[in-house]
């Protein structure tokens, strides 16, 4: 892969968009490589995934404007589907995901971050959906995920105006869950990922599925989804060992993901 790197460090996967000459902008090759990298994430090994951009200036500065500028209607729709399929693959990845956003996260970059479960930002981070200023709508799920994450009124204000949001405001409106100096952002993301990775992986994956799927349906159905996932955790090695350790008043062994 030319523009996407994937590595694993102690059960934590790190996926890096690495096209710094174009501020990590997403052309179709980057999007295809992201898809390929996501296919490499093995939940048997990786318990949490961090998504980042190379360098300090940009997480991802959007879809590639040069490439998009000459698309026909049909090509635009195809490009939108390519991105949407990959971002949905990221959103529904069985393990938790954290976007570590340093610098610009605009357009497709903001949408990439919003496809992750949790967003941590650098103090220098800037978010926004500038598409209406370019004569298009957000095309990788921005209209849908932003409204769900920060509420309909706030999302519409940002989407209609194309206004950029700096890190402190992003934190205040719930677009991100933490803001850190540039130098410590990745350490903080690793700390959070390691904390997640230290919990029972089958249970953590079930929680992600319960939240994601439950939010798509009414409460009566949602609670049944939770019941089923709750039940699925029983008889696992980790459930048995952790509860036995509690009852025997001893420290539990590390979870084995079985
Ligand atoms: N695409 C391509 N190249 C980009 C880019 C982008 N989005 N952003 C930056 N670059 C390139 C610049 O062209 C420049 O390249 P060279 O000229 O050096 O070759 C290099 O990165 C450095 O950028 P600047 O020289 O502009 O750096 P500055 O510090 O001056 O400014 C900036 C940084 C982030 C403020 C500025 O680069 C900027 O405004 N970039 C564009 C941000 C933007 O508008 N992003 C949103 C793109 S729209 C859809 C599917 C998808 C989408 C929509 C619809 N459907 C199919 C319906 C998604 C749309 C978007 O993401």
């Amino acid at each position: 892969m030319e523009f996407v790197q994937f590595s694993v460090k102690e059960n934590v996967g790190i996926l890096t968009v690495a096209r710094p000459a174009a501020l990590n902008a997403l052309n179709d090759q980057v999007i295809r490589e992201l898809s390929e990298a996501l296919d490499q994430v093995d939940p048997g090994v990786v318990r949490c995934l961090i998504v980042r951009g190379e360098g300090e200036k940009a997480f991802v500065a959007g879809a590639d404007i040069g490439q998009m500028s000459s698309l026909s209607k049909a090509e635009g729709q195809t490009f939108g589907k390519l991105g949407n399929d990959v971002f949905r693959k990221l959103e529904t990845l069985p393990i938790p995901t954290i976007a570590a956003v340093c610098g610009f996260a605009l357009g497709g970059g903001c949408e990439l971050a919003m496809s992750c479960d949790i967003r941590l930002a650098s103090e220098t981070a800037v978010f926004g959906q500038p598409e209406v200023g370019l004569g298009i709508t957000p095309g990788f799920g921005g209209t849908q995920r932003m409204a769900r994450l920060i509420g309909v009124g706030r999302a519409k204000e940002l989407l209609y105006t194309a206004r950029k949001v700096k890190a402190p405001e992003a934190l205040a409106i719930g677009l991100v869950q933490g803001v850190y100096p540039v130098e410590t952002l990745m350490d903080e993301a690793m700390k959070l990922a390691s904390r997640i990775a230290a919990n029972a992986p089958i249970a953590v994956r079930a929680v992600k599925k319960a939240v994601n799927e439950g939010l798509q349906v009414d409460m009566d159905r949602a609670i049944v989804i939770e019941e089923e996932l709750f039940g699925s955790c029983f008889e696992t090695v980790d459930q048995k060992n952790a509860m036995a350790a509690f009852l025997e008043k001893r420290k539990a062994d590390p979870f084995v993901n079985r």
Side-chain angles (χ1 to χ4, degrees), residues 54 61 89:
E54 186 173 307
K89 190 188 279 191

Side-chain angles (χ1 to χ4, degrees), residues 21-23 25 57 61-66 68 76-77 79-80 104 106-109 111 130-131 134 136-140 164:
L23 302 187
K57 189 163 173 186
D64 190 307
I65 298 173
M68 276 193 301
Q77 217 169 331
F79 185 58
F104 293 106
L106 300 174
E111 290 167 308
E131 285 87 347
L134 291 164
I136 54 175
T137 67
F140 296 151
K164 294 186 177 70

